[in-house]
Amino acid sequence: MNQISRVLDSLFTRKRWMIHVIFWLVVLVFYVAFFGRKNSNYLQTFFFVGLLMPIAISTTYVLNYYLVPTFLLRERFALFALYFFYTLVISIFFEMMIALITFMVMAELNIHDMSPASIDLFFLLVSLLMVVFFAMGIKMLLHWKQSKEDYQKLMRDKIETELRFLKVQLNPHFLFNTLNNLYYLTTEKSNRAPQAILQLSEILDYVLHQGKAMLVPLESELKQVDNYIALELLRYEDRIQIDKTIEGDINEKQIGPMMLITLIENSFKHGVMKTAGKAWIKMNVDCSPHTTTIQVSNSGRPAKQGTGIGLSNLRSQLDHLYPEKYSLQIDSDMADQFSVRLVLNS
């Protein structure tokens, strides 16, 4: 639909002069047919209306292309009202003068088929002013439409800029924690370091490519969650138990990139790292036709709820991608457990 709208706007811009000509021709034909029906002399009616039309056209373009953009759209309402009144008075004056001169010439030439009594002059003049107001209304409507599109584009650009900032802020944070894991393996001279590097390279490839998109397939995000968990398990080994369950069909589901990784990362950082003994993390993804529910729980709890950069970024990203279509509940009431429940609505 957006592409069709852009094509129509482009076509309208290139053919604008033709649209203006057609509009005024339609107005001319309508007035000739309407006012010529009384005497059935459409040729002379065409001549009379044609003499007055340039005044209506000039008034319309003075209003639409000078007074409106110069005063009305800049909120200079007093000057607009003043010049608007002057413009209408001058327009009516010239129309009356043209009508008077025309009738004098017709009387001088003994043309009685179109006498002043055969046409409602006052109604004609008022009707021409109605066309001026109608054209002004169209101009204001088009201006409102363009302003709305410009505002929407500005909001889209703002959201994309903020999302890029959030991702730039989040990814180094994630990379820093993962490099700490690799540092730990290398200091221990572990032969599992090459596997960790391979898994890290897959995550980085995901961040650099799919991470640029607004939304990614849920299946791709879950795969990188597995890579992240595998990296962390290299460090914690048997000290942690991971339970991950998936319910429903995930094939058609999408999610913001790095959202699930953020939740898992938060569990490791604020749960496992601060737990001296056996730790656990549970992750459940439940997909229904209209909602996607993700719940991540871990043993332990952060010292201060919601102070980590990960959850803060996650909430900001959700505000942009799912405005009024998500709920994020953080449960830290229990002393030995921390839980985050995220519900995304289609």
Side-chain angles (χ1 to χ4, degrees), residues 237-283:
E237 297 182 340
D238 296 334
R239 196 166 73 82
I240 181 172
Q241 178 181 348
I242 306 290
D243 293 322
K244 184 166 74 75
T245 59
I246 300 175
E247 302 176 14
D249 185 10
I250 67 172
N251 292 328
E252 301 298 326
K253 296 294 184 177
Q254 291 186 313
I255 195 171
M258 305 295 291
M259 282 188 177
L260 297 188
I261 294 178
T262 298
L263 293 175
I264 291 294
E265 178 191 24
N266 186 74
S267 292
F268 275 100
K269 181 177 180 181
H270 298 289
V272 179
M273 289 178 62
K274 297 183 179 181
T275 302
K278 186 81 171 180
W280 56 265
I281 294 177
K282 295 180 181 179
M283 179 178 187

Side-chain angles (χ1 to χ4, degrees), residues 42 55 104 112 127 157 196 227 240 257 271 298 302 308:
Y42 294 103
I55 304 299
M104 290 175 60
H112 302 292
S127 298
D157 293 343
N227 280 334
I240 181 172
N298 60 266

